[in-house]
Amino acid sequence: MIHYVKAWILALGLILTPAAAMAQDALPAAPGAEAAPAAASVDAEAPAAEAAPVSGLDPALYTPMKPTEGVGMPVDKGIDFQPQVSETGKEAKWINNAILLPIMTAICLFVLVLLFWVMIRFRRGANPEPSKTTHNTFIEIVWTVVPVLILLVIAVPSISLLAKQFEPAPEDALTVKVTGYQWYWGYSYPDNGDFEIISNMLPEDEAKARGEPFQLAVDNRMVIPVGKPVKMLITGADVIHSFAIPAAWFKLDAVPGRINEKVLQIDEVGVYYGQCSELCGARHGFMPITVEVLPEDKFNDWVRANGGTVKGDDAAEAESDDEVAEEAAAETASDETTTEGAPADAAAAAN
């Protein structure tokens, strides 16, 4: 009897669980975005979010770059990796195309041929009395040694590539801190005044107006200089997210309470898209990533447009301050010399 009561209680709880979930408060909206009506479905809710456009930036200093069709973004009916724009990405794609695919193709064809040979050679009609052979030393050696050699061929370049991806950043690398929120991204630039960019997905009409793919375009992009190593410090503010840019062969988890570090270097100017690659909640599919790669001078202009500081500007200001201090010291010394000579001049005039 007790088992039946427990079963009914469990069934009642399962029935009421969806209703309790639907009765939750509306999901919080990201900064710079207006929340959609709570009655709307999740799929309709996220695209309807009113993301703040790029505003307050001097057009003379920064204008968002237009993406190149098919570069840095997925394409229809694509069967290969995106064109790679980083050294690690190019090496990884070469390993896949020159080592992994040929090995997989050869193994599949070999197994297929072997299967047909066994089906024909050892069928019942050709072998009314099956073989009683139980061991074959040569075959056992072959099927042990050959897989080991195949794994070695794969392991050597793979381990080398893995080591390169996690090499420490050089001392002069630009630092960018990436924070994953539910459900948007924040980019901080501690080397440039520690300003932060909040990045939300653009609504469909605004994305089309800017000539960008919907659900990949954002209002404020992460901007980095071309050909320069960037030390990425990645963390999560609430749950686990994952920062991924397929065209740069870059992916790293954003874990709350922990900062993961990895170097990102993109060697071609352009706009590159990615998405959160860790299931992080109801709007997981609506927190895209857009990275804009600019020449260093234009990157510096973008930093100034956001109220940040550039290292060269700091040096110039310090040099100017030193010159002003030297001029002030020279004027003070001149005034002191004039003051000391005045009594002597007065005494000579009196005599």
Side-chain angles (χ1 to χ4, degrees):
M1 184 64 181
I2 296 176
H3 295 293
Y4 288 108
V5 173
K6 289 182 178 179
W8 277 104
I9 293 174
L10 180 60
L12 183 62
L14 292 174
I15 293 172
L16 294 178
T17 298
M22 293 179 65
Q24 292 179 355
D25 295 335
L27 296 172
E34 297 176 5
S41 65
V42 172
D43 291 341
E45 182 179 21
E50 186 71 22
V54 177
S55 59
L57 301 184
D58 186 354
L61 292 176
Y62 171 72
T63 301
M65 179 187 299
K66 290 187 178 181
T68 302
E69 186 67 28
V71 177
M73 65 180 75
V75 296
D76 292 339
K77 301 178 182 178
I79 60 173
D80 195 7
F81 296 111
Q82 294 183 18
Q84 295 299 304
V85 292
S86 67
E87 286 299 322
T88 55
K90 293 174 182 177
E91 183 175 348
K93 191 172 182 179
W94 177 84
I95 291 174
N96 177 78
N97 294 342
I99 298 178
L100 298 182
L101 283 179
I103 289 177
M104 289 188 291
T105 303
I107 292 175
C108 290
L109 292 176
F110 172 74
V111 172
L112 183 63
V113 170
L114 189 63
L115 181 62
F116 279 112
W117 182 71
V118 170
M119 291 169 59
I120 297 172
R121 173 66 179 81
F122 298 99
R123 70 188 188 278
R124 178 179 294 182
N127 296 272
E129 294 185 8
S131 173
K132 301 298 191 293
T133 303
T134 57
H135 292 83
N136 188 308
T137 304
F138 174 75
I139 293 179
E140 289 182 356
I141 292 175
V142 169
W143 72 35
T144 302
V145 173
V146 171
V148 170
L149 295 177
I150 293 174
L151 291 177
L152 286 175
V153 171
I154 296 174
V156 172
S158 298
I159 294 174
S160 174
L161 175 64
L162 186 63
K164 289 180 181 178
Q165 291 185 69
F166 289 94
E167 289 181 354
E171 294 183 0
D172 59 343
L174 172 70
T175 301
V176 177
K177 182 182 178 182
V178 179
T179 305
Y181 301 93
Q182 288 184 312
W183 288 268
Y184 57 98
W185 294 96
Y187 306 116
S188 300
Y189 290 76
D191 293 343
N192 301 103
D194 205 20
F195 65 92
E196 183 177 23
I197 300 296
I198 297 299
S199 180
N200 295 299
M201 188 183 77
L202 280 178
E204 186 172 5
D205 55 345
E206 292 189 26
K208 290 182 177 179
R210 290 172 55 166
E212 298 189 63
F214 175 51
Q215 295 187 345
L216 290 176
V218 299
D219 52 0
N220 297 303
R221 301 168 174 173
M222 180 183 124
V223 180
I224 59 174
V226 66
K228 300 290 184 180
V230 180
K231 182 168 69 174
M232 303 288 287
L233 304 178
I234 301 177
T235 187
D238 31 52
V239 298
I240 298 178
H241 304 273
S242 187
F243 187 85
I245 309 169
W249 206 269
F250 187 97
K251 182 178 183 292
L252 195 62
D253 285 349
V255 182
R258 174 173 179 167
I259 296 179
N260 291 328
E261 178 181 331
K262 195 175 180 182
V263 177
L264 171 65
Q265 180 173 329
I266 298 180
D267 298 324
E268 297 181 22
V269 172
V271 180
Y272 306 98
Y273 297 98
Q275 288 179 306
C276 177
S277 299
E278 184 72 33
L279 186 60
C280 58
R283 295 186 192 172
H284 159 70
F286 304 121
M287 53 180 302
I289 300 163
T290 304
V291 177
E292 183 174 346
V293 183
L294 298 175
E296 189 169 8
D297 56 342
K298 293 187 177 181
F299 168 76
N300 292 337
D301 288 341
W302 176 82
V303 170
R304 297 185 186 102
N306 283 280
T309 58
V310 179
K311 291 182 179 180
D313 295 346
D314 295 342
E317 291 177 2
E319 184 177 351
S320 177
D321 292 341
D322 292 341
E323 291 178 356
V324 171
E326 290 177 1
E327 291 178 0
E331 291 179 359
T332 302
S334 177
D335 293 342
E336 290 177 354
T337 302
T338 304
T339 304
E340 290 175 357
D345 295 340
N351 294 329

